[in-house]
Amino acid sequence: MKLKLGMGVILVALGLLFAGCQNADPNENRPINETEADSGTHESSNNHNHDDEDDHNHNHNHNHNHDQKTEAIYKGVFDDSQIQHRTLSDWEGDWQSVYPYLLDGTLDEVFVHKAEDTGKMTAAAYKEYYEVGYKTDTERIVIEGDTVTFFTNGQEQSVEYQADGYEILTYEAGNRGVRYIFKSVEDIEGLPRYIQFSDHRISPSKSDHFHLYWGDDREALLQEVANWPTYYPSAMDGHSIAHEMMAH
């Protein structure tokens, strides 16, 4: 199916990746072009690219060519032929939201670092921007097999999900991203029908952090580029997450 993403006024962030993808100009990540969608056998590629994702520079212990390819993918530059389907096992684990660490000031050093590194916005402006991006009341997510458990406002609910393809998004800056989509097996009140993962990866591999979109309208979720709750392993403390974000 083809999906049209209109130019929005919304700033899209790309910097964390992961987890703390904290890199790139928010203004460069507005989706504009048609994107190839896949809700079954057809495969498409793209990660939501917010400020967090654009300037990712992970250090990989592989050969130079592999490093260049990996860096390009993290920045949203890749061919459709490189995209592969993924299963929930790539995101299996116990994950925590980074939003509380933004609220309590733990991530302030990340925004200072970003402001000094890019010179595009002040630390205060970056914090304001990410406060919108990270905002969520789902403080923890646990993924085991096909079951996803949401911990929201102290309440715990679980539901089973199955793969529903992926969608390729193209952004105003020219970079692209892949959203991996899963649909709940049952329609349970209070739980999202769809969840969409974006973690700067386009083929099977274990995620180290991710941005997650969820809701009941598959197509509408693909238009969401302002709010992207971000999750890191629950075993990490806030300072470790902050340092991980700055390392990228």
Side-chain angles (χ1 to χ4, degrees):
M1 80 184 74
K2 285 205 172 181
L3 168 69
K4 299 233 179 199
L5 295 179
M7 296 186 70
V9 198
I10 307 176
L11 295 177
V12 183
L14 240 141
L16 280 179
L17 202 178
F18 283 104
C21 312
Q22 306 289 0
N23 348 344
D25 185 346
N27 291 301
E28 295 178 352
N29 295 305
R30 299 171 183 163
I32 53 172
N33 296 337
E34 295 183 343
T35 64
E36 303 277 7
D38 176 9
S39 59
T41 55
H42 174 64
E43 305 185 1
S44 341
S45 64
N46 252 330
N47 286 12
H48 74 279
N49 281 313
H50 30 228
D51 186 50
D52 290 353
E53 305 184 10
D54 249 353
D55 295 335
H56 249 320
N57 257 331
H58 284 260
N59 295 319
H60 301 277
N61 297 317
H62 304 296
N63 61 55
H64 185 60
N65 288 334
H66 183 84
D67 285 347
Q68 287 184 321
K69 280 186 178 180
T70 302
E71 276 189 33
I73 290 171
Y74 269 66
K75 291 179 179 179
V77 180
F78 50 80
D79 296 326
D80 287 4
S81 61
Q82 294 175 269
I83 303 165
Q84 299 176 33
H85 282 293
R86 299 170 69 184
T87 66
L88 266 179
S89 62
D90 280 1
W91 297 279
E92 192 160 26
D94 193 323
W95 306 90
Q96 62 176 319
S97 166
V98 302
Y99 186 53
Y101 295 125
L102 180 147
L103 295 179
D104 70 12
T106 302
L107 300 185
D108 284 357
E109 60 181 320
V110 177
F111 307 129
V112 170
H113 173 79
K114 187 168 180 60
E116 294 175 346
D117 187 50
T118 68
K120 296 176 181 179
M121 294 167 62
T122 65
Y126 272 119
K127 182 171 184 176
E128 184 177 351
Y129 171 70
Y130 281 98
E131 184 167 2
V132 175
Y134 292 160
K135 187 173 183 178
T136 182
D137 57 3
T138 298
E139 63 271 9
R140 181 183 171 208
I141 293 175
V142 175
I143 301 174
E144 298 179 289
D146 294 326
T147 301
V148 178
T149 302
F150 298 87
F151 295 79
T152 304
N153 292 325
Q155 300 299 312
E156 174 184 341
Q157 281 186 292
S158 299
V159 64
E160 186 177 337
Y161 284 89
Q162 59 188 7
D164 195 43
Y166 57 78
E167 301 280 352
I168 304 172
L169 307 183
T170 300
Y171 300 90
E172 189 172 280
N175 56 326
R176 305 192 304 156
V178 177
R179 295 259 191 104
Y180 285 92
I181 304 171
F182 295 83
K183 181 179 181 180
S184 64
V185 175
E186 296 180 81
D187 189 359
I188 301 177
E189 184 177 357
L191 288 173
R193 193 67 166 144
Y194 294 94
I195 54 176
Q196 300 182 357
F197 291 89
S198 175
D199 64 358
H200 321 275
R201 302 167 190 257
I202 62 173
S203 60
S205 58
K206 180 64 177 173
S207 186
D208 53 11
H209 81 270
F210 58 85
H211 311 288
L212 190 67
Y213 304 80
W214 62 82
D216 296 329
D217 189 327
R218 189 183 194 276
E219 302 305 313
L221 281 178
L222 295 169
Q223 308 292 332
E224 175 58 71
V225 291
N227 175 236
W228 16 268
T230 299
Y231 294 85
Y232 275 81
S234 293
M236 296 179 70
D237 61 31
H239 292 292
S240 296
I241 290 174
H243 292 162
E244 174 70 13
M245 290 178 173
M246 290 187 289
H248 302 313

